Amino acid sequence: MSEDKTDKNQEIIGFACSFCTFKASEMAGSLRMKYPDGVRLVQVPCSSRVDPAFVIKSILEGADGAFVAGCHPGDCHFIKGNYFTRRKIAALKEMFDAFSMKDKLRLFWVSAAEARRFVEKVTGMYNEIKEKKNAGKTN
Amino acid sequence: MKTGIFICHCGHNIKHTVDVKKLSTYFKMFPSVTVSEDYPFVCSEPGQDMIKDSIEKHGLDRVIIASCTPSLHQELFKDLLKKSDLNPFLLRRVGIREHCSWVGDDVDKNTEKAIRLIKAGLYSSSHYVPLEEKRVDVTKSALIIGGGVSGLSAAVFLSKMGMQVYLVEKEAELGGHTRNLKNIWPIGEDGTLIIEEMEKELQGRENVEIFTSTTISSFEGSFGNYEAVLLTRAGEKRIVAGGVIVAIGFSPFDPQIKPELAYGIDKRIITTMDFERSIDALSLPENPRIAILHCVGSRDEQIGKPYCSRVCCINALRVADTVKEKYKDSYVESFYMDVRAHPRGGEEFFEDTQEKGVLFTRSNIAEIIPGSKGVLVRGEDTLFNELFEREFDLVVLSIGMSPPEDNRLISSLLKITLDKDKFFLEAHVKLRPYDTAVKGIFIAGACSGPKDIEESINHGRASATKLYGFLNLGYAFVEPFIAFVDMKRCSGCRMCEKACVAKAIKFDETKRLVHVEEAACMGCGLCNATCPSSAIGLRGYLDNVIDDEISALVEAV
Ligand code: SF4
Ligand code: SF4
């Protein structure tokens, strides 16, 4: 019962770049690859569109985790957008760390061709957070 | 607000694992939702009519279509809104197929997820405003990268249509690998002649500029007006092209990657390409014993080449056939995994070679050992489960196609994606097989996966046709998802100006405010995420749109 509830309430918001990670997620769907239903995406034109405020908002409003995902460094459709993303998320991670919630935030590089990598990354994140949550409950 | 929500069953595809009835009933409760319907196929003609009638009857001012992923059928539904006199940017697509029904099997969980996704669409679309598609002038010229058989056929087509063509080839002469093939299956054409024929078609045309021994050193701009710097032998040259066709072909698999094949250390072990070049110079005994190995560098997980190279079976059969023609009493044994003689007439050709006495052994080859008398081929017969060792005078390796060696360079220069095997990736394998994800950039030929010559020519022409369609009018419409400044909020801090990679943000010294040059803006939204005063917004992806989307996605039900 409690297991069930944990599972149901678990939510991860992902900000996915239209040119790569969102494409990978489309391909993952077409290939009928499975991943947890709690993973939900917000499509953004570029990972650099993600204002750290969006990530904070997601967590404050109840998400168990949030990730930002874009093209591999050097492959950004907007030339350098993902370098800005990397810097911003690195700073944000420090802040998350200060509040002991480092694992609630991830940054992934997933290209349009990497459907499998997308599924592995989001599933991995989901399961790790779930484990932590359950461990916390029994303590 | 009068929102219409249309939920697609996609036949079984969505309905199977999402309770679509529950969805349509659920959304009827929302005061801003005027219509909420589910329908077997919303993209079908009756489906479209239903939406159109609904828009007109109820005066809807927002349309949410929950169906396949937003990038599919987007133009179709935008046109539908236009036909109903509604601004097409008041449409919101919600992907409940690729991002929901196909991702999990649990109907309850999927239905729950679909509710959230549609809610996100409902909340965020309330902030949508009508937008106008931006008209841009495009340059009627094409940059074709790669002068092999597919690049050339694209060039011939486009130049005949009167378009300016810049053809760039890094080698000193045009023709790619085709030029070296003397006897192309099925009718034994000479590759050189095919290339010369195409070259002749381009000769003397004023609208064609061919650059051989040339590479590309920089690439900038946007659809309709790409700028490339070419590094020619005579120095740099800057060109402007409305669109691009990438046709850089493939690299033959290098068998030295597999040292057990002993390629390169004994001249009695050659590839199909070597055979092609040196057939007449081979010094073979009167009744030679010849081994032919299929799938060298293809269907081989261990070396990261799991794909079939498509042409190598036919190449192997052709070698067998040529040998049998030349040496009636030769012993020719072909070592294969499967014979995939897929082109038209391929199976018949396979049967012919069997009738000519070529022996086919289904096998795994372990190693090739050059000896003083002959070359030893050692392997396992996978039909009889037996190990064998046989001696030959010549071993021919039927090598596959590897991605072109410049794949990474071109992909990062043009910002187009490679697939998992490192060939170029198309925008959609079935619906947009020639396009890349970048508007106006197309791919052609074997650089997007192994192809034979006929297929490469077809691919080149098809991409050229698409590109022509994009540029022919001299103008095109692009989506208006670009940045704009709210003058009342801008403090003139110039943070956005520093961030913008496109240099689209200009500072006005007298007003001490910034503005966006629309033509230069790429629509990344970095400025929007950077501005401390929320003074600069990205159309289509405004802060409140994304904020409400987040709220809907995490809201406790
Ligand atoms: S959206 Fe990107 S390209 Fe356009 S002005 Fe902002 S930062 Fe520059
Ligand atoms: S970052 Fe914002 S406030 Fe600063 S100049 Fe740009 S638009 Fe104005």
Side-chain angles (χ1 to χ4, degrees), chain B residues 400-457:
Chain B
M401 293 184 175
S402 290
E405 57 183 28
D406 286 340
N407 55 350
R408 284 179 195 280
L409 183 79
I410 298 292
S411 107
S412 66
L413 212 53
L414 273 59
K415 308 294 171 218
I416 55 177
T417 313
L418 300 173
D419 70 11
K420 67 179 199 329
D421 300 320
K422 308 288 176 254
F423 289 99
F424 290 103
L425 183 73
E426 61 286 288
H428 188 285
V429 63
K430 298 279 170 18
L431 299 168
R432 293 169 67 203
Y434 313 112
D435 312 49
T436 65
V438 184
K439 191 163 180 173
I441 302 186
F442 297 87
I443 33 176
C447 65
S448 71
K451 281 176 196 62
D452 66 21
I453 292 176
E454 180 187 340
E455 289 169 319
S456 299
I457 292 174

Short mmCIF file of all heavy atoms in Angstrom, two decimals, chain B residues 400-457:
data_model
loop_
_atom_site.label_atom_id
_atom_site.label_comp_id
_atom_site.label_asym_id
_atom_site.label_seq_id
_atom_site.Cartn_x
_atom_site.Cartn_y
_atom_site.Cartn_z
N GLY B 400 31.87 -4.12 -45.90
CA GLY B 400 30.66 -3.31 -45.78
C GLY B 400 30.96 -1.82 -45.82
O GLY B 400 32.08 -1.39 -46.11
N MET B 401 29.93 -1.05 -45.54
CA MET B 401 30.06 0.40 -45.57
C MET B 401 30.12 0.92 -44.14
O MET B 401 29.26 0.62 -43.33
CB MET B 401 28.84 1.01 -46.24
CG MET B 401 28.73 0.69 -47.70
SD MET B 401 27.30 1.58 -48.37
CE MET B 401 27.47 1.18 -50.09
N SER B 402 31.12 1.75 -43.89
CA SER B 402 31.19 2.44 -42.60
C SER B 402 30.75 3.88 -42.83
O SER B 402 30.77 4.37 -43.96
CB SER B 402 32.61 2.39 -42.07
OG SER B 402 32.92 1.08 -41.68
N PRO B 403 30.39 4.58 -41.76
CA PRO B 403 30.01 5.99 -41.93
C PRO B 403 31.17 6.77 -42.55
O PRO B 403 32.32 6.38 -42.38
CB PRO B 403 29.75 6.47 -40.51
CG PRO B 403 29.56 5.24 -39.70
CD PRO B 403 30.31 4.15 -40.36
N PRO B 404 30.88 7.85 -43.27
CA PRO B 404 31.95 8.63 -43.88
C PRO B 404 32.89 9.18 -42.81
O PRO B 404 32.44 9.48 -41.70
CB PRO B 404 31.21 9.77 -44.58
CG PRO B 404 29.89 9.85 -43.88
CD PRO B 404 29.56 8.46 -43.46
N GLU B 405 34.15 9.33 -43.15
CA GLU B 405 35.09 9.74 -42.10
C GLU B 405 34.85 11.18 -41.61
O GLU B 405 35.22 11.51 -40.50
CB GLU B 405 36.53 9.55 -42.55
CG GLU B 405 36.90 10.29 -43.82
CD GLU B 405 38.33 9.99 -44.27
OE1 GLU B 405 38.83 8.89 -43.95
OE2 GLU B 405 38.91 10.87 -44.93
N ASP B 406 34.20 12.00 -42.45
CA ASP B 406 33.94 13.38 -42.01
C ASP B 406 32.60 13.54 -41.31
O ASP B 406 32.11 14.66 -41.14
CB ASP B 406 33.97 14.33 -43.23
CG ASP B 406 35.39 14.54 -43.71
OD1 ASP B 406 36.32 14.29 -42.92
OD2 ASP B 406 35.56 14.94 -44.87
N ASN B 407 31.98 12.43 -40.92
CA ASN B 407 30.64 12.53 -40.33
C ASN B 407 30.57 13.48 -39.14
O ASN B 407 29.68 14.30 -39.02
CB ASN B 407 30.09 11.14 -39.97
CG ASN B 407 31.01 10.36 -39.06
OD1 ASN B 407 32.16 10.75 -38.83
ND2 ASN B 407 30.54 9.25 -38.55
N ARG B 408 31.55 13.36 -38.23
CA ARG B 408 31.49 14.17 -37.01
C ARG B 408 31.72 15.65 -37.32
O ARG B 408 31.07 16.53 -36.79
CB ARG B 408 32.52 13.71 -36.00
CG ARG B 408 32.09 12.45 -35.31
CD ARG B 408 33.13 11.97 -34.34
NE ARG B 408 32.84 10.59 -33.97
CZ ARG B 408 31.93 10.26 -33.08
NH1 ARG B 408 31.25 11.19 -32.46
NH2 ARG B 408 31.69 9.00 -32.82
N LEU B 409 32.67 15.87 -38.22
CA LEU B 409 32.99 17.25 -38.61
C LEU B 409 31.75 17.93 -39.18
O LEU B 409 31.35 19.01 -38.75
CB LEU B 409 34.11 17.20 -39.65
CG LEU B 409 34.60 18.54 -40.12
CD1 LEU B 409 35.56 19.11 -39.08
CD2 LEU B 409 35.31 18.42 -41.47
N ILE B 410 31.13 17.28 -40.17
CA ILE B 410 29.97 17.88 -40.82
C ILE B 410 28.80 17.98 -39.85
O ILE B 410 28.07 18.97 -39.83
CB ILE B 410 29.55 17.06 -42.08
CG1 ILE B 410 30.68 17.07 -43.11
CG2 ILE B 410 28.26 17.58 -42.69
CD1 ILE B 410 30.96 18.40 -43.76
N SER B 411 28.64 16.99 -39.00
CA SER B 411 27.50 17.04 -38.08
C SER B 411 27.66 18.20 -37.10
O SER B 411 26.69 18.87 -36.77
CB SER B 411 27.31 15.69 -37.38
OG SER B 411 27.71 15.73 -36.05
N SER B 412 28.87 18.47 -36.64
CA SER B 412 28.98 19.58 -35.69
C SER B 412 29.00 20.93 -36.40
O SER B 412 28.51 21.92 -35.87
CB SER B 412 30.18 19.41 -34.76
OG SER B 412 31.37 19.51 -35.48
N LEU B 413 29.49 20.96 -37.61
CA LEU B 413 29.48 22.21 -38.38
C LEU B 413 28.04 22.64 -38.72
O LEU B 413 27.66 23.79 -38.57
CB LEU B 413 30.28 21.99 -39.67
CG LEU B 413 31.05 23.13 -40.28
CD1 LEU B 413 31.99 23.78 -39.28
CD2 LEU B 413 31.87 22.62 -41.48
N LEU B 414 27.24 21.67 -39.17
CA LEU B 414 25.88 21.99 -39.63
C LEU B 414 24.83 21.79 -38.56
O LEU B 414 23.65 22.07 -38.78
CB LEU B 414 25.53 21.12 -40.86
CG LEU B 414 25.93 21.65 -42.22
CD1 LEU B 414 27.42 21.86 -42.32
CD2 LEU B 414 25.47 20.70 -43.32
N LYS B 415 25.24 21.26 -37.41
CA LYS B 415 24.31 20.97 -36.30
C LYS B 415 23.25 19.98 -36.72
O LYS B 415 22.06 20.14 -36.46
CB LYS B 415 23.62 22.26 -35.80
CG LYS B 415 24.57 23.37 -35.45
CD LYS B 415 25.43 23.03 -34.28
CE LYS B 415 26.52 24.05 -34.07
NZ LYS B 415 27.78 23.41 -33.65
N ILE B 416 23.67 18.95 -37.42
CA ILE B 416 22.72 17.88 -37.75
C ILE B 416 23.19 16.61 -37.05
O ILE B 416 24.37 16.46 -36.73
CB ILE B 416 22.58 17.68 -39.28
CG1 ILE B 416 23.94 17.42 -39.93
CG2 ILE B 416 21.92 18.89 -39.90
CD1 ILE B 416 23.86 17.15 -41.40
N THR B 417 22.25 15.73 -36.82
CA THR B 417 22.50 14.62 -35.89
C THR B 417 22.96 13.35 -36.59
O THR B 417 22.58 13.07 -37.73
CB THR B 417 21.18 14.34 -35.13
OG1 THR B 417 20.67 15.58 -34.69
CG2 THR B 417 21.41 13.43 -33.96
N LEU B 418 23.76 12.57 -35.88
CA LEU B 418 24.15 11.24 -36.34
C LEU B 418 23.31 10.20 -35.62
O LEU B 418 22.88 10.41 -34.50
CB LEU B 418 25.63 10.99 -36.04
CG LEU B 418 26.63 11.95 -36.68
CD1 LEU B 418 28.04 11.67 -36.15
CD2 LEU B 418 26.61 11.83 -38.20
N ASP B 419 23.10 9.05 -36.28
CA ASP B 419 22.35 7.99 -35.60
C ASP B 419 23.33 7.14 -34.79
O ASP B 419 24.50 7.45 -34.69
CB ASP B 419 21.53 7.17 -36.61
CG ASP B 419 22.39 6.30 -37.52
OD1 ASP B 419 23.61 6.16 -37.26
OD2 ASP B 419 21.84 5.75 -38.49
N LYS B 420 22.82 6.06 -34.20
CA LYS B 420 23.68 5.32 -33.28
C LYS B 420 24.86 4.65 -34.00
O LYS B 420 25.88 4.39 -33.39
CB LYS B 420 22.87 4.29 -32.50
CG LYS B 420 22.30 3.15 -33.33
CD LYS B 420 21.54 2.21 -32.42
CE LYS B 420 21.31 0.85 -33.03
NZ LYS B 420 21.17 0.73 -34.47
N ASP B 421 24.72 4.41 -35.29
CA ASP B 421 25.82 3.83 -36.04
C ASP B 421 26.74 4.89 -36.64
O ASP B 421 27.67 4.58 -37.36
CB ASP B 421 25.28 2.92 -37.16
CG ASP B 421 24.45 1.78 -36.61
OD1 ASP B 421 24.84 1.23 -35.57
OD2 ASP B 421 23.40 1.47 -37.21
N LYS B 422 26.41 6.16 -36.38
CA LYS B 422 27.19 7.32 -36.82
C LYS B 422 26.97 7.70 -38.29
O LYS B 422 27.77 8.39 -38.90
CB LYS B 422 28.69 7.18 -36.53
CG LYS B 422 28.99 6.81 -35.08
CD LYS B 422 28.73 8.00 -34.15
CE LYS B 422 28.92 7.64 -32.70
NZ LYS B 422 27.67 7.49 -31.93
N PHE B 423 25.87 7.23 -38.87
CA PHE B 423 25.41 7.77 -40.14
C PHE B 423 24.50 8.96 -39.82
O PHE B 423 24.03 9.08 -38.70
CB PHE B 423 24.62 6.71 -40.93
CG PHE B 423 25.46 5.58 -41.48
CD1 PHE B 423 25.54 4.36 -40.83
CD2 PHE B 423 26.18 5.75 -42.65
CE1 PHE B 423 26.32 3.33 -41.33
CE2 PHE B 423 26.96 4.73 -43.18
CZ PHE B 423 27.03 3.50 -42.52
N PHE B 424 24.22 9.80 -40.82
CA PHE B 424 23.36 10.95 -40.55
C PHE B 424 21.92 10.50 -40.33
O PHE B 424 21.43 9.59 -41.00
CB PHE B 424 23.43 11.97 -41.70
CG PHE B 424 24.75 12.67 -41.74
CD1 PHE B 424 25.72 12.33 -42.65
CD2 PHE B 424 25.04 13.66 -40.81
CE1 PHE B 424 26.95 12.96 -42.67
CE2 PHE B 424 26.27 14.29 -40.81
CZ PHE B 424 27.23 13.94 -41.74
N LEU B 425 21.26 11.19 -39.41
CA LEU B 425 19.91 10.81 -39.02
C LEU B 425 18.88 11.67 -39.74
O LEU B 425 18.99 12.89 -39.77
CB LEU B 425 19.77 11.00 -37.51
CG LEU B 425 18.44 10.60 -36.87
CD1 LEU B 425 18.32 9.09 -36.83
CD2 LEU B 425 18.33 11.17 -35.46
N GLU B 426 17.86 11.03 -40.29
CA GLU B 426 16.79 11.78 -40.93
C GLU B 426 15.81 12.29 -39.87
O GLU B 426 15.77 11.78 -38.75
CB GLU B 426 16.06 10.92 -41.98
CG GLU B 426 15.38 9.67 -41.47
CD GLU B 426 16.34 8.55 -41.12
OE1 GLU B 426 16.94 7.93 -42.02
OE2 GLU B 426 16.51 8.30 -39.92
N ALA B 427 15.00 13.29 -40.25
CA ALA B 427 14.06 13.89 -39.29
C ALA B 427 13.01 12.87 -38.85
O ALA B 427 12.62 12.84 -37.70
CB ALA B 427 13.38 15.11 -39.91
N HIS B 428 12.56 12.07 -39.77
CA HIS B 428 11.63 10.98 -39.42
C HIS B 428 11.83 9.89 -40.46
O HIS B 428 11.76 10.17 -41.65
CB HIS B 428 10.19 11.49 -39.40
CG HIS B 428 9.22 10.47 -38.86
ND1 HIS B 428 8.82 9.38 -39.58
CD2 HIS B 428 8.60 10.36 -37.66
CE1 HIS B 428 7.99 8.65 -38.85
NE2 HIS B 428 7.84 9.23 -37.68
N VAL B 429 12.01 8.69 -39.99
CA VAL B 429 12.42 7.63 -40.92
C VAL B 429 11.36 7.34 -41.99
O VAL B 429 11.70 7.03 -43.13
CB VAL B 429 12.83 6.36 -40.14
CG1 VAL B 429 11.66 5.77 -39.36
CG2 VAL B 429 13.46 5.33 -41.04
N LYS B 430 10.08 7.52 -41.65
CA LYS B 430 9.05 7.23 -42.64
C LYS B 430 8.50 8.51 -43.27
O LYS B 430 8.23 8.55 -44.46
CB LYS B 430 7.88 6.48 -41.99
CG LYS B 430 8.28 5.13 -41.41
CD LYS B 430 8.33 4.10 -42.50
CE LYS B 430 8.94 2.77 -42.12
NZ LYS B 430 9.04 2.44 -40.75
N LEU B 431 8.31 9.54 -42.45
CA LEU B 431 7.60 10.71 -42.96
C LEU B 431 8.52 11.77 -43.56
O LEU B 431 8.10 12.52 -44.43
CB LEU B 431 6.77 11.33 -41.83
CG LEU B 431 5.71 10.39 -41.26
CD1 LEU B 431 5.13 10.95 -39.98
CD2 LEU B 431 4.61 10.15 -42.27
N ARG B 432 9.74 11.85 -43.06
CA ARG B 432 10.66 12.85 -43.62
C ARG B 432 12.04 12.22 -43.82
O ARG B 432 13.01 12.57 -43.16
CB ARG B 432 10.74 14.06 -42.67
CG ARG B 432 9.42 14.84 -42.62
CD ARG B 432 9.41 15.85 -41.52
NE ARG B 432 10.38 16.93 -41.76
CZ ARG B 432 10.90 17.68 -40.79
NH1 ARG B 432 10.57 17.48 -39.54
NH2 ARG B 432 11.76 18.63 -41.09
N PRO B 433 12.11 11.30 -44.76
CA PRO B 433 13.35 10.52 -44.91
C PRO B 433 14.52 11.28 -45.53
O PRO B 433 15.64 10.78 -45.53
CB PRO B 433 12.93 9.36 -45.79
CG PRO B 433 11.77 9.88 -46.56
CD PRO B 433 11.06 10.85 -45.67
N TYR B 434 14.27 12.46 -46.06
CA TYR B 434 15.37 13.21 -46.69
C TYR B 434 15.80 14.40 -45.85
O TYR B 434 16.88 14.93 -46.01
CB TYR B 434 14.96 13.72 -48.08
CG TYR B 434 14.30 12.65 -48.90
CD1 TYR B 434 12.96 12.71 -49.23
CD2 TYR B 434 15.05 11.54 -49.30
CE1 TYR B 434 12.36 11.69 -49.95
CE2 TYR B 434 14.45 10.51 -50.01
CZ TYR B 434 13.11 10.59 -50.33
OH TYR B 434 12.53 9.59 -51.02
N ASP B 435 14.92 14.85 -44.96
CA ASP B 435 15.19 16.05 -44.17
C ASP B 435 16.07 15.71 -42.98
O ASP B 435 16.04 14.60 -42.47
CB ASP B 435 13.89 16.62 -43.60
CG ASP B 435 12.79 16.74 -44.63
OD1 ASP B 435 12.54 15.75 -45.33
OD2 ASP B 435 12.16 17.81 -44.72
N THR B 436 16.79 16.70 -42.51
CA THR B 436 17.39 16.59 -41.19
C THR B 436 16.50 17.41 -40.26
O THR B 436 15.50 17.99 -40.71
CB THR B 436 18.81 17.18 -41.16
OG1 THR B 436 18.72 18.58 -41.40
CG2 THR B 436 19.70 16.53 -42.21
N ALA B 437 16.87 17.48 -38.99
CA ALA B 437 16.05 18.26 -38.05
C ALA B 437 16.19 19.76 -38.31
O ALA B 437 15.43 20.56 -37.78
CB ALA B 437 16.43 17.92 -36.62
N VAL B 438 17.18 20.14 -39.12
CA VAL B 438 17.42 21.57 -39.37
C VAL B 438 16.77 21.96 -40.69
O VAL B 438 16.99 21.33 -41.72
CB VAL B 438 18.92 21.86 -39.42
CG1 VAL B 438 19.16 23.35 -39.58
CG2 VAL B 438 19.61 21.36 -38.16
N LYS B 439 15.96 22.98 -40.65
CA LYS B 439 15.21 23.38 -41.83
C LYS B 439 16.13 23.74 -42.99
O LYS B 439 17.07 24.51 -42.84
CB LYS B 439 14.30 24.56 -41.49
CG LYS B 439 13.30 24.84 -42.59
CD LYS B 439 12.15 25.69 -42.13
CE LYS B 439 11.23 25.89 -43.35
NZ LYS B 439 10.01 26.54 -43.08
N GLY B 440 15.84 23.15 -44.14
CA GLY B 440 16.62 23.47 -45.34
C GLY B 440 17.89 22.65 -45.50
O GLY B 440 18.61 22.82 -46.47
N ILE B 441 18.17 21.78 -44.54
CA ILE B 441 19.35 20.91 -44.70
C ILE B 441 18.87 19.47 -44.90
O ILE B 441 18.12 18.94 -44.09
CB ILE B 441 20.31 21.01 -43.50
CG1 ILE B 441 20.76 22.46 -43.32
CG2 ILE B 441 21.52 20.08 -43.69
CD1 ILE B 441 21.81 22.68 -42.26
N PHE B 442 19.31 18.90 -46.02
CA PHE B 442 18.86 17.55 -46.39
C PHE B 442 20.05 16.60 -46.45
O PHE B 442 21.20 17.03 -46.53
CB PHE B 442 18.16 17.59 -47.75
CG PHE B 442 16.93 18.43 -47.74
CD1 PHE B 442 17.00 19.80 -47.99
CD2 PHE B 442 15.69 17.88 -47.43
CE1 PHE B 442 15.86 20.59 -47.94
CE2 PHE B 442 14.55 18.66 -47.38
CZ PHE B 442 14.64 20.02 -47.64
N ILE B 443 19.75 15.31 -46.44
CA ILE B 443 20.81 14.32 -46.59
C ILE B 443 20.52 13.46 -47.80
O ILE B 443 19.35 13.26 -48.16
CB ILE B 443 20.95 13.41 -45.34
CG1 ILE B 443 19.58 13.17 -44.69
CG2 ILE B 443 21.96 13.94 -44.38
CD1 ILE B 443 19.61 12.22 -43.52
N ALA B 444 21.56 12.95 -48.43
CA ALA B 444 21.35 12.10 -49.59
C ALA B 444 22.45 11.05 -49.66
O ALA B 444 23.59 11.31 -49.34
CB ALA B 444 21.35 12.95 -50.86
N GLY B 445 22.05 9.87 -50.10
CA GLY B 445 23.01 8.81 -50.37
C GLY B 445 23.45 8.05 -49.13
O GLY B 445 22.80 8.08 -48.09
N ALA B 446 24.60 7.37 -49.28
CA ALA B 446 25.02 6.40 -48.27
C ALA B 446 25.46 7.05 -46.95
O ALA B 446 25.69 6.34 -45.98
CB ALA B 446 26.15 5.54 -48.82
N CYS B 447 25.56 8.38 -46.90
CA CYS B 447 25.94 8.98 -45.61
C CYS B 447 24.79 8.88 -44.61
O CYS B 447 24.99 9.11 -43.43
CB CYS B 447 26.42 10.42 -45.77
SG CYS B 447 25.17 11.57 -46.35
N SER B 448 23.59 8.50 -45.07
CA SER B 448 22.51 8.29 -44.12
C SER B 448 22.21 6.81 -43.94
O SER B 448 21.13 6.45 -43.50
CB SER B 448 21.26 9.05 -44.56
OG SER B 448 20.68 8.44 -45.68
N GLY B 449 23.17 5.97 -44.27
CA GLY B 449 23.00 4.54 -44.10
C GLY B 449 23.33 3.83 -45.41
O GLY B 449 23.16 4.42 -46.48
N PRO B 450 23.81 2.59 -45.36
CA PRO B 450 24.26 1.89 -46.57
C PRO B 450 23.21 1.90 -47.69
O PRO B 450 22.03 1.68 -47.42
CB PRO B 450 24.50 0.47 -46.06
CG PRO B 450 24.85 0.63 -44.63
CD PRO B 450 24.01 1.78 -44.14
N LYS B 451 23.67 2.22 -48.88
CA LYS B 451 22.78 2.23 -50.05
C LYS B 451 23.57 1.79 -51.27
O LYS B 451 24.78 2.02 -51.33
CB LYS B 451 22.25 3.65 -50.31
CG LYS B 451 21.13 4.01 -49.41
CD LYS B 451 20.68 5.46 -49.60
CE LYS B 451 19.85 5.86 -48.42
NZ LYS B 451 20.58 5.82 -47.15
N ASP B 452 22.88 1.22 -52.25
CA ASP B 452 23.58 0.93 -53.50
C ASP B 452 23.49 2.16 -54.41
O ASP B 452 22.93 3.19 -54.02
CB ASP B 452 23.05 -0.37 -54.15
CG ASP B 452 21.61 -0.25 -54.62
OD1 ASP B 452 21.12 0.88 -54.81
OD2 ASP B 452 20.96 -1.30 -54.80
N ILE B 453 24.04 2.03 -55.60
CA ILE B 453 24.14 3.21 -56.45
C ILE B 453 22.78 3.72 -56.90
O ILE B 453 22.50 4.92 -56.86
CB ILE B 453 25.06 2.89 -57.66
CG1 ILE B 453 26.49 2.72 -57.12
CG2 ILE B 453 25.00 3.98 -58.72
CD1 ILE B 453 27.51 2.31 -58.15
N GLU B 454 21.91 2.77 -57.26
CA GLU B 454 20.58 3.17 -57.70
C GLU B 454 19.86 3.93 -56.57
O GLU B 454 19.26 4.99 -56.80
CB GLU B 454 19.80 1.90 -58.08
CG GLU B 454 18.39 2.18 -58.55
CD GLU B 454 17.61 0.88 -58.75
OE1 GLU B 454 18.23 -0.19 -58.88
OE2 GLU B 454 16.37 0.94 -58.76
N GLU B 455 19.94 3.38 -55.38
CA GLU B 455 19.27 4.03 -54.24
C GLU B 455 19.88 5.41 -53.96
O GLU B 455 19.18 6.35 -53.60
CB GLU B 455 19.41 3.17 -52.98
CG GLU B 455 18.57 1.91 -53.02
CD GLU B 455 18.93 0.95 -51.89
OE1 GLU B 455 20.12 0.78 -51.57
OE2 GLU B 455 18.01 0.36 -51.34
N SER B 456 21.20 5.49 -54.10
CA SER B 456 21.87 6.76 -53.82
C SER B 456 21.44 7.83 -54.82
O SER B 456 21.25 8.99 -54.47
CB SER B 456 23.39 6.59 -53.87
OG SER B 456 23.78 5.66 -52.90
N ILE B 457 21.31 7.42 -56.08
CA ILE B 457 20.86 8.38 -57.10
C ILE B 457 19.44 8.83 -56.79
O ILE B 457 19.12 10.02 -56.80
CB ILE B 457 20.95 7.74 -58.51
CG1 ILE B 457 22.41 7.52 -58.88
CG2 ILE B 457 20.24 8.61 -59.55
CD1 ILE B 457 22.63 6.77 -60.17
#
